[in-house]
Every structure is written in structure tokens, then in C-alpha cells.
Amino acid sequence: LTYRVIGDGQKNFLPGSTIGAEGNIFKNAADAWSIVNPSQDVFYPRMHLGYNANNAQTSDWWLKDMSMCRLKNLELGYSLPQSLITKVAMGYARVFVRGTNLFQFSSFRLWDPELDTNNGLQYPIMATYSMGLQIRF
């Protein structure tokens, strides 16, 4: 398991913490601690319109499980049979498709857990796809 502190006491980290300038506070309003919802498994410690110093304190509330499993590289290829490629004067022929960073499994949904950030403000890891043909004569 990999854990990382998110937010790190930044006053503008929470969506809505700047009265809408950093995101819609009402989007996750139901996922907040309150007297009627005293759950500890919510995203917001306590809803507040605007900046609230109590919600920006560094604490283990912001310690999130960043465990993940990612398919980094995958290549599928097929070598054409010798009986077929000798008819067109080739010694070897292979077709392939290749992908990098194809998908990941993680319960953390705010940003890519592999990014070295505590606020998600980094360019995400790109997926790449390619296909090709290898030929020898």
C-alpha cells in the first residue's frame, strides 16, 4: 500500500474553498461530515463556504490510499508463416500493436496516483498506441 497526504494544508485545495473559483463546492456536498452524516469515510472534513482554517490543517484526514495497478506496456505481435512470406521474397515478416500506460486500477479518483504531487496539479501520464510491420529481406 502506498499512502500520500493530499492537499497538504493548502487553503485553495478543496473545490469551492475560494467561493467557486477552484471548483463547485456543491458537487460533492453530500460527501461531507455533518451532524446528520457523522461518517469518517467522507471526502470533506466539514463543509464551509469559502476558506476555513480548520479544514486546511495538516492531519491524517488527508492521508489517502494511493495503491494502484497499472498496465505499463503491452505488445501483441504475429509473425507471418514462412510459407506465405517466401512467396513475396521476404525472409521475415511480423505485424504488431503496442501500447504504453493503457489503464490502471485504483480506488483513488482525484488524479493519477503515480504523479509525484499532493494536489494533482501536474500533467497526467499519457497513454500511447502504435502499430507496425517488421520486414527482413
Side-chain angles (χ1 to χ4, degrees):
L1 294 176
T2 304
Y3 288 90
R4 183 177 297 146
V5 174
I6 65 169
D8 201 26
Q10 298 171 16
K11 72 176 190 174
N12 293 335
F13 170 71
L14 291 172
S17 61
T18 54
I19 309 176
E22 296 292 323
N24 186 351
I25 196 169
F26 301 111
K27 179 181 176 192
N28 295 320
D31 195 17
W33 183 93
S34 67
I35 293 173
V36 294
N37 182 25
S39 172
Q40 295 298 307
D41 296 326
V42 293
F43 181 77
Y44 293 105
R46 180 176 282 182
M47 292 299 287
H48 189 271
L49 185 59
Y51 177 68
N52 181 337
N54 290 328
N55 286 347
Q57 298 297 316
T58 301
S59 75
D60 61 358
W61 179 277
W62 301 112
L63 191 61
K64 301 296 180 189
D65 181 2
M66 302 292 242
S67 298
M68 62 169 289
C69 179
R70 179 187 306 270
L71 180 59
K72 283 284 222 184
N73 299 298
L74 179 67
E75 181 173 326
L76 300 172
Y78 177 71
S79 296
L80 297 171
Q82 197 68 31
S83 60
L84 179 65
I85 60 175
T86 54
K87 292 179 182 178
V88 289
M90 284 189 248
Y92 175 80
R94 178 177 177 263
V95 294
F96 66 90
V97 293
R98 180 182 301 148
T100 304
N101 297 320
L102 298 175
F103 56 86
Q104 74 174 9
F105 301 103
S106 177
S107 60
F108 185 76
R109 300 282 182 223
L110 292 177
W111 58 81
D112 189 333
E114 197 170 7
L115 294 177
D116 187 21
T117 179
N118 62 0
N119 59 13
L121 298 177
Q122 282 188 355
Y123 201 72
I125 296 172
M126 300 296 292
T128 58
Y129 308 92
S130 60
M131 54 190 276
L133 174 64
Q134 295 174 315
I135 300 173
R136 274 187 295 211
F137 293 94

